[in-house]
């Protein structure tokens, strides 16, 4: 069967949907999520703000976030994108394969954050490089299997391709010794994976 080619996602929707999946974000994080130039991302935020779809927040978590109207518009536009590309079946199939891997990812994050010491699970202070290396090897194996899911998603809707880039970057940085890129920082493998999960739910109109 020949599938129709998925249309490219417009930059306004990329920005709007990034906020839907990641919550309140800074301009720098929005750039990392979307791959857009910071100036282009900021321009889209200003336009979306003028339409009442996003708002700039201050206080404990400064950045940009969706308004209620923005959330509703994002849901409508994401559904339209999915249906116009004829991609629902493919995205749902990839989502089902994602769900097979998701419990393993959560177990790996726990294994990274805790390790057994004298038979007791203890916060992992990363003082045992052998233990960390073994857990990272398991992440690499999971990522190899997740690659097929990412490929299926990006073939269905090109905007999903950005997750493959971000997951690869996180794993490479973790392998280079930057442990925060496994499960702790906002650009960590765990957080990118969680955003992909949220994106799949939002795209398909599903609840957790």
């Amino acid at each position: 069967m020949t599938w129709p080619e998925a249309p490219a996602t417009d930059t306004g929707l990329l920005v709007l949907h990034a906020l839907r999946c990641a919550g309140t974000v800074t301009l720098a994080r929005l750039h990392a999520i979307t791959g857009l130039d910071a100036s282009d991302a900021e321009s889209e935020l200003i336009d979306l703000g003028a339409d009442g779809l996003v708002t700039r927040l201050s206080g404990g978590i400064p950045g940009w976030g969706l308004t209620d109207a923005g959330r509703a518009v994002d849901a409508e536009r994401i559904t339209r994108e999915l249906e116009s590309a004829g991609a629902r079946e493919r995205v749902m199939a990839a989502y089902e394969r994602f769900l097979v891997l998701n419990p393993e990812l959560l177990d790996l994050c726990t294994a990274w954050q805790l390790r057994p010491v004298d038979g007791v699970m203890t916060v992992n202070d990363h003082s045992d490089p052998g233990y960390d290396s073994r857990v990272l090897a398991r992440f690499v194996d999971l990522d190899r299997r997740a690659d097929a899911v990412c490929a299926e998603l990006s073939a269905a809707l090109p905007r999903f391709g950005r997750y493959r880039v971000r997951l690869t970057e996180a794993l490479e940085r973790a392998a280079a010794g930057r442990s925060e890129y496994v499960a702790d920082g906002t650009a960590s493998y765990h957080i990118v994976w969680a955003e992909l999960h949220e994106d799949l739910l939002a795209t398909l109109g599903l609840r957790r």
Side-chain angles (χ1 to χ4, degrees):
M1 180 178 182
T2 301
W3 297 102
E5 183 176 348
T9 305
D10 69 78
T11 54
L13 181 54
L14 282 177
V15 170
L16 191 67
H17 197 58
L19 270 61
R20 165 65 182 82
C21 298
T24 301
V25 299
T26 62
L27 186 58
R29 189 173 175 208
L30 184 61
H31 161 68
I33 292 171
T34 62
L36 297 173
D37 289 341
S39 59
D40 291 337
E42 186 173 32
S43 177
E44 293 292 352
L45 285 169
I46 292 170
D47 289 344
L48 292 167
D51 291 336
L53 304 181
V54 305
T55 185
R56 191 165 194 167
L57 306 172
S58 57
I61 308 179
W64 293 84
L66 285 185
T67 63
D68 288 343
R71 181 175 289 268
V73 168
D74 176 72
E76 177 185 334
R77 293 179 64 187
I78 283 294
T79 298
R80 188 187 313 140
E81 177 196 49
L82 181 69
E83 301 302 341
S84 66
R88 178 173 292 277
E89 182 181 341
R90 285 176 288 168
V91 174
M92 179 60 78
Y95 173 59
E96 289 171 353
R97 283 186 274 277
F98 174 90
L99 288 180
V100 174
L101 298 174
N102 193 53
E104 184 178 348
L105 181 279
L106 298 178
D107 287 346
L108 283 177
C109 289
T110 298
W112 181 257
Q113 294 167 333
L114 301 172
R115 68 182 176 94
V117 178
D118 297 328
V120 178
M121 296 306 293
T122 305
V123 173
N124 186 10
D125 60 4
H126 306 295
S127 62
D128 183 344
Y131 177 83
D132 282 1
S133 178
R134 289 191 295 274
V135 176
L136 278 175
R138 292 168 60 195
F139 266 99
V140 170
D141 178 65
L142 172 75
D143 185 72
R144 176 184 55 77
R145 286 174 282 132
D147 188 61
V149 176
C150 292
E152 291 168 2
L153 287 169
S154 60
L157 291 174
R159 64 178 172 80
F160 276 108
R162 184 66 188 161
Y163 289 103
R164 177 66 279 172
V165 174
R166 296 171 65 207
L167 289 169
T168 298
E169 289 177 348
L171 203 55
E172 288 177 346
R173 289 168 179 168
R178 301 185 65 180
S179 62
E180 71 273 18
Y181 279 93
V182 177
D184 300 318
T186 58
S188 70
Y189 197 97
H190 183 201
I191 293 299
V192 176
W193 185 277
E195 289 173 13
L196 173 55
H197 193 179
E198 190 65 28
D199 197 340
L200 286 164
L201 292 170
T203 298
L204 292 166
L206 302 175
R207 296 182 181 274
R208 284 188 183 273

